[in-house]
Amino acid sequence: MITRRGEQVAAVVSIEVLRNYQKREEREINRIIDERMANPAPGIPVEDVTRETPARGE
């Protein structure tokens, strides 16, 4: 555990632990995507999303 001013800010873990975490995270994201794709309810039109998303200063 790495601390800064007494507060935990980072952790050092083995590459195996990191890879396992990434695999679990990817499986969860894919599960959510599959669940939402299976839902017959209409989604939000991309035009609505882009209209509500603030312009990025790029």
Side-chain angles (χ1 to χ4, degrees), residues 7-53:
E7 202 169 318
Q8 297 175 344
V9 294
V12 178
V13 297
S14 70
I15 193 68
E16 181 180 350
V17 168
L18 174 62
R19 287 184 179 144
N20 286 336
Y21 174 80
Q22 289 172 323
K23 286 177 189 175
R24 283 194 310 270
E25 186 177 51
E26 186 171 335
R27 281 194 304 264
E28 178 64 11
I29 290 168
N30 287 332
R31 183 194 66 75
I32 292 168
I33 290 169
D34 291 343
E35 182 180 285
R36 291 184 183 176
M37 294 290 288
N39 185 344
I44 300 170
V46 70
E47 295 82 12
D48 292 352
V49 174
T50 55
R51 189 172 37 252
E52 294 176 15
T53 304

